[in-house]
Amino acid sequence: MEDKPTTFGLGRQELARLWQVGADTPDDRGGPSEEHKRAELLRDRLAEPWPPDSAAARPLPEPLAIVLEQFKPLAGCCVGDLLFDPDADPSVIWQIKDSYKERARSGSATLERDAATVIYYAAIANALLFHEALLRDDKITTFSNKELHEHFSRLLSIPWLTPDLVSLFKTAREKLL
Amino acid sequence: MGGTGSQFPSTHWSLILNARTQDQTRRRLAAEGLIEGYWKPVYCYLRRRGYQNEQAKDLTQDFFCQFILGDKLLRAADKSIGRFRQLLLTALKRFISNVERDKKRKKRTPAGEILSLSPDPFAEIDPPGSATTPEEAFYHAWITDLIDQVISELTKQYSDQDMLSHWQVFQLKVLGPTLQSAQEPSMKQICERCGLASEEQASNMLVTVKRRFRSVLKRRLRNLVRSDVEADEEFKEIFGFLSSSRGHDGG
């Protein structure tokens, strides 16, 4: 009995993830809902390695491709790890921001573009929370604080966000007040 | 770990009803089933209230002896009364209030009946740091026991039905990363690990298991309340509790 996994030691965030399986999974009568598909896609994108596998990714603009080469040692980290990590290299956060900004513009499907948009803003939220210089000095974004607050508020109304992202956007929004 | 090894009857309420029977064997088995299923929330409440491990164990036994074998709780646990969770917590608060008022804690053994649970389900566990009140500690243990039961049931189902690859996908994508607080792998990585032909196949398998997870969770939750409406309310209430004040758990 002692060898069986138990959820007792988990925090509420982890338990919420499991409980959410029961919340947003479609029942047997229908196929996956739109919301479910978006949630799954977003989780999948967060789980992608960074930098992306160059064999699988679409060709990136040359400046980004050059940057990718420099950061290959980061293989093993995934996008989600970096977005929620206060110690992630600020230049990597910037690259993620640029990469997903591009994907949000040129992604092949609406679901892909929407997932990319969320990750784009998550990179900005990370910069706001953990690397103030990126905002203040280097201007990682040209959005004003008011605009960012509005964007984060809109994002928080998305039902298919992961609990981690909800927490990130909430905390970032609070910092803007 | 209380609850995961126990196989409850198809309805939880039948356990309660059986505990009322005059048939000593059925009564005892049902009572033991209830205790095994719910000792952890009671114990965690007591620990968060400030009692040390041995004191909390003694009081947990006292509580169940008095209220289950003594019929007080079970007479009150009519299906029309309400959610069993609330009933148990209310009874526990009343019990401990009396204990602390009387300042007496000796083992109470109903006449002619001694509880001897084997193996002893009471393990020393510390309520999580995020549970700052006894009520939250009770709630946390209640929720985790429920989820553990779902996982245990699904593990057995997928093993019995020879669908272990489905379960493996779910473990890799959802369960493992959650239990280990790790980032979940991509579907591509899961395909490589499980030898699956395509991400679409892996996704379909994942959806299948998630649907069953949902179904088992909702059924077990339904067993603890009066109606489908109440089950939905309980589901949302628990999600609301887990989603709020996700504070640091101290480890």
Side-chain angles (χ1 to χ4, degrees):
Chain A
M1 190 187 270
E2 291 303 321
D3 292 330
K4 288 185 184 172
T6 173
T7 58
F8 183 76
L10 296 182
R12 288 193 203 180
Q13 196 164 31
E14 288 80 24
L15 290 171
R17 274 188 217 159
L18 284 176
W19 203 260
Q20 202 167 22
V21 171
D24 63 20
T25 299
D27 62 29
D28 288 326
R29 287 188 293 273
S33 65
E34 188 76 3
E35 190 178 306
H36 176 76
K37 287 181 195 169
R38 287 175 182 275
E40 287 293 316
L41 180 65
L42 180 59
R43 288 193 195 105
D44 218 46
R45 293 296 166 265
L46 288 169
E48 283 179 350
W50 186 267
D53 180 351
S54 56
R58 289 175 293 112
L60 292 170
E62 192 178 331
L64 280 176
I66 292 170
V67 169
L68 276 181
E69 285 300 316
Q70 296 173 22
F71 284 90
K72 274 207 172 142
L74 278 174
C77 280
C78 62
V79 172
D81 279 344
L82 294 164
L83 285 175
F84 307 124
D85 182 4
D87 298 323
D89 190 316
S91 55
V92 170
I93 296 300
W94 198 309
Q95 289 154 37
I96 292 174
K97 189 267 299 183
D98 282 345
S99 174
Y100 283 87
K101 184 178 180 182
E102 170 66 22
R103 292 192 201 194
R105 278 188 189 147
S106 59
S108 55
T110 306
L111 268 63
E112 286 282 357
R113 292 196 295 274
D114 289 348
T117 300
V118 169
I119 295 176
Y120 161 73
Y121 279 104
I124 295 175
N126 174 289
L128 171 64
L129 289 171
F130 309 124
H131 309 287
E132 275 203 71
L134 283 184
L135 249 79
R136 190 183 58 245
D137 303 330
D138 302 322
K139 307 288 183 208
I140 188 173
T141 179
T142 55
F143 289 127
S144 66
N145 281 2
K146 182 170 181 285
E147 285 167 334
L148 278 178
H149 192 278
E150 286 168 4
H151 289 311
F152 291 150
S153 295
R154 199 174 57 247
L155 287 161
L156 284 165
S157 68
I158 292 175
W160 40 271
L161 284 190
T162 66
D164 292 331
L165 283 169
V166 169
S167 185
L168 183 74
F169 288 134
K170 267 188 186 167
T171 312
R173 186 178 65 173
E174 279 162 17
K175 193 163 179 186
L176 290 167
L177 293 172
Chain B
M1 174 175 59
T4 54
S6 66
Q7 295 297 320
F8 283 101
S10 57
T11 61
H12 159 84
W13 289 104
S14 63
L15 253 188
I16 295 177
L17 291 171
N18 277 333
R20 300 184 192 183
T21 182
Q22 295 305 308
D23 181 315
Q24 292 280 22
T25 303
R26 275 172 56 201
R27 180 185 167 97
R28 181 190 175 79
L29 285 173
E32 288 177 358
L34 283 168
I35 291 165
E36 193 180 333
Y38 299 112
W39 74 267
K40 200 184 285 184
V42 171
Y43 170 88
C44 287
Y45 176 94
L46 295 166
R47 288 297 307 274
R48 184 55 78 223
R49 191 125 175 176
Y51 293 100
Q52 298 305 305
N53 174 51
E54 289 301 321
Q55 289 174 310
K57 279 168 67 170
D58 286 347
L59 284 168
T60 300
Q61 290 201 33
D62 280 358
F63 169 71
F64 280 111
C65 282
Q66 185 178 65
F67 282 93
I68 292 182
L69 294 179
D71 281 350
K72 286 182 186 176
L73 175 67
L74 295 176
R75 285 199 188 112
D78 188 279
K79 281 184 79 171
S80 62
I81 294 295
R83 305 181 200 181
F84 186 64
R85 170 174 63 84
Q86 291 166 336
L87 181 67
L88 193 69
L89 182 58
T90 301
L92 176 59
K93 284 181 175 180
R94 203 172 293 145
F95 166 78
I96 205 65
S97 178
N98 291 338
V99 163
E100 288 177 353
R101 188 190 59 217
D102 296 345
K103 290 184 183 169
K104 289 179 197 171
R105 276 198 308 281
K106 49 189 177 185
K107 289 200 177 191
R108 294 185 184 87
T109 307
E113 203 158 11
I114 296 174
L115 271 180
S116 58
L117 299 168
S118 178
D120 182 353
F122 302 121
E124 179 171 5
I125 50 177
D126 293 318
S130 62
T132 54
T133 67
E135 289 78 7
E136 285 183 358
F138 179 97
Y139 208 359
H140 180 99
W142 182 274
I143 294 167
T144 55
D145 266 0
L146 186 56
I147 296 176
D148 286 348
Q149 288 166 22
V150 172
I151 293 170
S152 188
E153 181 174 335
L154 287 173
T155 304
K156 188 173 185 314
Q157 275 186 21
Y158 280 99
S159 173
D160 289 349
Q161 292 166 15
D162 200 20
M163 291 172 69
L164 283 172
S165 50
H166 280 71
W167 187 237
Q168 190 185 14
V169 169
F170 181 78
Q171 283 184 303
L172 288 171
K173 186 68 173 168
V174 178
L175 199 53
T178 303
L179 289 173
Q180 293 152 28
S181 295
Q183 191 65 36
E184 60 191 68
S186 67
M187 285 311 233
K188 183 167 180 269
Q189 290 168 320
I190 287 175
C191 285
E192 286 166 9
R193 179 91 178 260
C194 300
L196 299 174
S198 67
E199 290 185 35
E200 188 182 350
Q201 183 188 11
S203 289
N204 289 339
M205 290 164 88
L206 185 64
V207 168
T208 299
V209 178
K210 283 186 171 185
R211 281 180 180 161
R212 199 176 290 189
F213 185 101
R214 180 185 199 267
S215 170
V216 172
L217 177 59
K218 296 238 165 160
R219 170 170 50 79
R220 284 187 171 265
L221 200 59
R222 178 65 183 86
N223 283 343
L224 298 169
V225 297
R226 294 174 290 176
S227 65
D228 288 343
V229 169
E230 210 164 77
D232 282 341
E233 286 169 2
E234 180 83 339
F235 189 92
K236 286 174 191 161
E237 205 175 288
I238 290 176
F239 190 57
F241 170 75
L242 294 174
S243 303
S244 69
S245 310
R246 291 188 200 132
H248 185 58
D249 286 296

